[in-house]
Amino acid sequence: MVFYSTRSKAHTADSTEAVLKGIAPDGGLYTPVDFDQMQVDVGKLLGMSAVEISSEVIGRILNDFTPEEMRALIEAAYDGKFETGDLTPLEKVGDDFVLELFRGPTSAFKDVALSVLPRLITAARDKLGVKEEIVILTATSGDTGKAALEGFHDVPGTRIIVFYPDGGVSDVQKAQMVTQAGGNVGVCAVKGNFDDAQTGVKNIFADDQANGWAAEKGARLSSANSINIGRLAPQVAYYFKAYCDLVLRGEIRLGDPVNFVVPTGNFGDILAGEFARRMGLPVAKLVCASNKNNVLTDFINTGVYDRRREFYKTASPSMDILVSSNLERYLFLASGGDFDLVSGLMADLREKGIYTAPDKLMETMREHFSAGCADDEKALDAIGRVWRDYEYLMDTHTAVGWAVMEEFKASEDNGWVNVMLSTASPYKFSRDVLSAISDAQPDSGFGAMDMLNATTGVPVPAALAALRSREARFNDCVEKGEMLEYVKEHLR
Ligand SMILES: *Cc1c(COP(=O)(O)O)cnc(C)c1O
């Protein structure tokens, strides 16, 4: 399989190179164009376990790994880490279905991919005969950092350092990170906001001296964020798994199309759905759900992507994004691999903060995508109603999806079954979820967790419940300009 940079013909990679490099040298994102080679026969997946389906689907995309290698890798990646062997259970709520992607070690959907990525990176490194230790540097606004720590800790040949904004993550998210076990991990607060931490990490990647210093130490700096194709591929699998579950339960017939509603930030999760569709899954519509930062809703409805707007902090912080990186991959796919178009649009976005996609591309997009948005008020209202009507407890991100699904059903009910992707445990955002179903006034994140549990009886995920009694291992906090020093100190 050839992976192309989205920005020029000059940079291609096979799947192992694409995983190891993460991003193409011209700043483009590695993307396949020929889906003929990646077709999956859905009927053959029926009755397979979640691990088998994942191996089959991921192996189609990253085809430099043999089926045996992929199977062993996926088994090791998920072994004992998820609450259920199903990995991503499908729950019926009213007339619709909720695909629970948050049953992994950190209770957020990023676990599905970040459990696999470290093993893909080290296997790719071995295949390519690269000897260096891989050092992952990540800036996080909360969820990604913990999921990456959980994925990389104690994976031989890797180290991971996570930077988070001091005072910028929730009590629970901070506790999750600073108590992280493992001999190859580092966690450090940065005096500044998330953008400062992210800029600091990007500066280190772009710093020749830092890279040279790492090479002398036998290390190679790399990133775990969602532009790596190795993070996208594992997410494609759960679309197939959910479809198989619907067929096996008699909810649909094999071949019936299904709508998927996806709470979206960086456009990674929903793009995985588009991969699934192109790989042969019968998908009716992919519904893109945004919070008040609704740049994608506007784009899908008008064809104009305009990031020059106010940034809102919402109750669904993992979707507070104005530049959705993975949309670049979709523009490339929908334009039939038009490098010039994509690099031009991305230059416009960088330089002017706005671009307009061609009408033909938008027509293609609207055949397969719908879009909607819900602010905090609508999302919290949905949490309350769904709890009262169905005794099903949703987190704030999932609730955005639910509210948008309701609008979608009202405006363009196409008669097909709806699957809504649920991206976090309600206990990760206990305070807001609690406020949606009661008037209680908790004094801390953990207090909110207890009250939510007492009010609903929904079990607290074991890893979150255990956090309170765990010692903090990392108390470091550095100035913005000192991040590289921290990395050097840590690797010494
Ligand atoms: C990351 C995240 C999202 C957004 O996913 P994208 O792939 O960036 O679109 C939604 N919900 C939660 C809880 C997340 O952590």
Side-chain angles (χ1 to χ4, degrees):
M1 186 76 57
V2 185
F3 290 80
Y4 295 88
S5 163
T6 43
R7 297 192 189 175
S8 74
K9 263 201 197 68
H11 297 290
T12 59
D14 65 19
S15 60
T16 47
E17 289 167 331
V19 165
L20 200 57
K21 285 191 181 148
I23 188 160
D26 58 358
L29 308 185
Y30 288 118
T31 307
V33 282
D34 184 4
F35 283 76
D36 289 349
Q37 292 177 45
M38 294 200 279
Q39 291 305 299
V40 171
D41 181 347
V42 185
K44 289 210 176 117
L45 302 181
L46 294 173
M48 284 190 187
S49 70
V51 162
E52 286 165 336
I53 291 175
S54 294
S55 311
E56 181 70 25
V57 171
I58 303 170
R60 283 299 159 93
I61 303 170
L62 306 176
N63 68 343
D64 296 295
F65 298 88
T66 65
E68 295 71 33
E69 285 170 337
M70 190 55 85
R71 176 69 195 267
L73 191 154
I74 300 297
E75 244 167 39
Y78 288 130
D79 186 34
K81 282 196 172 176
F82 278 62
E83 286 175 39
T84 146
D86 232 15
L87 300 182
T88 53
L90 187 69
E91 294 287 327
K92 189 160 192 179
V93 179
D95 294 333
D96 304 300
F97 294 84
V98 177
L99 178 59
E100 296 185 339
L101 305 177
F102 59 82
R103 299 293 182 184
T106 81
S107 306
F109 98 97
K110 290 180 174 69
D111 288 329
V112 179
L114 281 165
S115 300
V116 178
L117 181 68
R119 293 175 194 271
L120 288 174
I121 288 181
T122 50
R125 186 194 58 175
D126 294 348
K127 267 188 184 294
L128 295 171
V130 172
K131 293 280 179 283
E132 294 127 307
E133 179 172 67
I134 307 293
V135 178
I136 303 289
L137 304 182
T138 299
T140 184
S141 58
D143 283 345
T144 302
K146 176 59 182 179
L149 285 165
E150 200 52 52
F152 280 91
H153 81 86
D154 297 322
V155 174
T158 71
R159 284 186 169 273
I160 173 160
I161 300 175
V162 169
F163 293 101
Y164 68 93
D166 190 29
V169 300
S170 76
D171 305 350
V172 173
Q173 286 174 319
K174 178 174 174 184
Q176 280 188 300
M177 291 189 279
V178 299
T179 61
Q180 176 66 45
N184 63 339
V185 304
V187 176
C188 183
V190 178
K191 290 194 183 121
N193 60 25
F194 169 65
D195 283 330
D196 296 323
Q198 178 148 48
T199 305
V201 168
K202 282 189 181 160
N203 288 347
I204 296 174
F205 285 135
D207 180 344
D208 289 340
Q209 277 185 337
N211 284 297
W213 173 84
E216 268 171 40
K217 299 266 169 208
R220 178 194 282 232
L221 304 178
S222 188
S223 135
N225 66 19
S226 73
I227 51 186
N228 193 314
I229 191 74
R231 251 191 82 172
L232 202 66
Q235 297 180 236
V236 181
Y238 50 68
Y239 285 89
F240 282 95
K241 171 73 169 59
Y243 190 92
C244 289
D245 285 344
L246 288 171
V247 175
L248 291 170
R249 292 189 208 167
E251 298 284 355
I252 61 171
R253 282 167 309 180
L254 184 62
D256 285 351
V258 168
N259 301 309
F260 290 96
V261 184
V262 190
T264 303
N266 226 349
F267 210 74
D269 199 359
I270 195 165
L271 184 72
E274 170 68 7
F275 268 52
R277 189 184 71 75
R278 288 178 180 250
M279 291 168 74
L281 189 71
V283 175
K285 274 277 169 83
L286 292 164
V287 183
C288 178
S290 300
N291 62 24
K292 196 172 179 184
N293 295 293
N294 59 356
V295 63
L296 286 167
T297 319
D298 289 348
F299 174 67
I300 293 172
N301 291 332
T302 67
V304 178
Y305 194 101
D306 189 354
R307 59 173 283 196
R308 303 166 310 170
R309 60 177 72 206
E310 195 174 335
F311 175 85
Y312 298 102
K313 282 188 116 168
T314 73
S316 42
S318 301
M319 295 160 64
D320 289 346
I321 286 184
L322 291 181
V323 178
S324 296
S325 341
N326 272 296
L327 183 62
E328 179 171 350
R329 282 197 164 103
Y330 182 75
L331 298 172
F332 185 71
L333 289 175
S335 66
D338 189 336
F339 305 99
D340 295 336
L341 174 74
V342 176
S343 59
L345 296 180
M346 290 303 111
D348 282 350
L349 184 62
R350 227 175 15 251
E351 289 152 22
K352 302 179 199 144
I354 181 169
Y355 66 77
T356 304
D359 290 345
K360 190 158 162 284
L361 190 155
M362 294 314 300
E363 275 165 32
T364 305
M365 187 168 198
R366 289 185 203 115
E367 261 173 53
H368 305 295
F369 286 79
S370 289
C373 55
D375 60 14
D376 285 352
E377 196 185 328
K378 279 191 192 163
L380 295 182
D381 176 65
I383 292 174
R385 281 187 293 109
V386 171
W387 173 250
R388 286 190 299 275
D389 293 350
Y390 308 113
E391 288 203 7
Y392 186 81
L393 193 63
M394 300 186 295
D395 100 289
T396 48
H397 302 73
T398 306
V400 168
W402 186 277
V404 170
M405 177 171 74
E406 287 178 327
E407 276 179 15
F408 170 73
K409 283 166 56 172
S411 66
E412 58 170 305
D413 189 0
N414 57 18
W416 302 115
V417 161
N418 300 302
V419 175
M420 215 260 315
L421 278 59
S422 172
T423 52
S425 159
Y427 284 103
K428 268 202 111 159
F429 303 93
S430 299
R431 208 186 269 275
D432 286 318
V433 173
L434 183 66
S435 77
I437 61 166
S438 89
D439 296 325
Q441 296 287 340
D443 55 4
S444 70
F446 286 110
M449 209 184 258
D450 290 339
M451 287 182 176
L452 189 57
N453 176 247
T455 310
T456 63
V458 173
V460 183
L464 290 184
L467 276 179
R468 231 173 312 191
S469 54
R470 290 183 62 172
E471 285 293 316
R473 295 181 62 206
F474 301 98
N475 299 310
D476 301 300
C477 182
V478 299
E479 299 289 339
K480 294 186 261 195
E482 295 172 354
M483 291 166 63
L484 179 58
E485 287 313 306
Y486 180 85
V487 174
K488 288 187 172 175
E489 191 60 35
H490 191 81
L491 295 188
R492 189 157 293 141

